[in-house]
Amino acid sequence: MSEFIISVEHLCKSVTDSTGTLEILKDVDFALKARETAAIVGASGSGKSTLLSVIAGLDTPSSGTVRIGAQDLFALDEDARAALRAHQVGFVFQSFQLLGNLTALENVMLPLELDGRKDARQAATEMLERVGLSSRLGAYPKVLSGGEQQRVALARAFVVKPAVLLADEPTGSLDFATGETIMQLMFSLNRELGTTLVLVTHDLAIAARCERRITIEAGRIASNAVGQAA
């Protein structure tokens, strides 16, 4: 059994249109152990978000391999990848991605209900209490502040107790104070549940809180540095 929970090997991604071929990712290699925290940093357009999307199996590479545990993601068909994500991978997005016609509680219950969990309501309620939203269970996203919406998104991501949590600019739509609160909560939940955290960020202060910093420049890994997480 591999010691790594995420393995990315010789990953390439290119797209072709009438103007030619654009190489987005170029021979990307790295691996992360269980419980490790990693920040992917780089300039806009460097390939950070594409890399995160490929690791999630939401986008397909032109070549190369991504493994979650021992499973090669792209040896699976789309349905099997979706099933793997449902059980092992959580997501937090800059734009929250909540369903507007569902309450906070129903948004967090959804992945559990899709998995057939009989305790979906209880587990979702407990997780929303954990992120400080016990009084907002019945609120719809449109009446929640940005920070509250991101708390709901965190609760939804962590409620399935994923092996891997992927976060794409999780504080990008929030003011500094709210973003700091969200990051403290994310790292706290991550430690409690023993998740491997991979986050894309332009904020070097957030990156410094991770154990590893992977810098992407023009689709390539420019550095893969291990430091002391703050």
Side-chain angles (χ1 to χ4, degrees):
M1 183 176 178
S2 172
E3 65 175 311
F4 299 110
I5 189 66
I6 299 173
S7 300
V8 177
E9 302 167 7
H10 303 297
L11 196 69
C12 298
K13 173 69 177 180
S14 60
V15 293
T16 301
D17 61 18
S18 59
T19 63
T21 298
L22 174 65
E23 292 184 279
I24 302 171
L25 298 174
K26 306 168 187 175
D27 200 30
V28 173
D29 273 284
F30 68 91
L32 300 174
K33 295 180 179 180
R35 297 176 177 264
E36 197 166 1
T37 57
I40 300 174
V41 301
S44 295
S46 59
K48 305 185 303 295
S49 292
T50 299
L51 176 57
L52 201 71
S53 185
V54 173
I55 292 171
L58 294 170
D59 198 357
T60 56
S62 302
S63 61
T65 304
V66 175
R67 290 187 175 86
I68 303 296
Q71 180 61 62
D72 180 348
L73 273 186
F74 300 103
L76 303 173
D77 63 22
E78 191 170 336
D79 288 344
R81 284 200 301 274
L84 183 145
R85 282 195 298 270
H87 291 95
Q88 297 195 48
V89 182
F91 300 92
V92 178
F93 300 96
Q94 177 177 342
S95 56
F96 318 132
Q97 298 288 338
L98 301 179
L99 296 176
N101 62 328
L102 300 182
T103 65
L105 179 60
E106 289 166 343
N107 266 283
V108 179
M109 287 173 61
L110 186 59
L112 300 173
E113 290 180 323
L114 291 173
D115 196 36
R117 289 269 297 270
K118 302 298 184 185
D119 64 338
R121 180 171 293 274
Q122 178 183 345
T125 299
E126 290 173 356
M127 185 57 72
L128 283 165
E129 289 173 351
R130 173 65 185 82
V131 301
L133 290 178
S134 58
S135 66
R136 305 291 270 162
L137 302 183
Y140 288 91
K142 66 181 179 181
V143 301
L144 298 174
S145 68
E148 288 174 330
Q149 289 187 65
Q150 197 61 298
R151 286 171 182 264
V152 175
L154 281 178
R156 182 182 59 188
F158 278 111
V159 75
V160 299
K161 298 183 178 178
V164 173
L165 182 76
L166 306 175
D168 193 358
E169 298 283 8
T171 62
S173 297
L174 306 174
D175 63 71
F176 176 80
T178 304
E180 177 62 20
T181 299
I182 290 296
M183 290 313 303
Q184 289 178 358
L185 183 57
M186 178 180 288
F187 280 106
S188 177
L189 286 168
N190 195 70
R191 286 191 298 270
E192 286 178 25
L193 298 175
T195 304
T196 299
L197 173 64
V198 184
L199 63 89
V200 163
T201 183
H202 66 277
D203 188 328
L204 297 183
I206 292 175
R209 298 172 69 167
C210 294
E211 296 159 325
R212 183 181 297 273
R213 185 189 302 187
I214 299 168
T215 303
I216 303 290
E217 293 180 1
R220 297 185 185 276
I221 291 185
S223 69
N224 185 351
V226 179
Q228 182 64 46

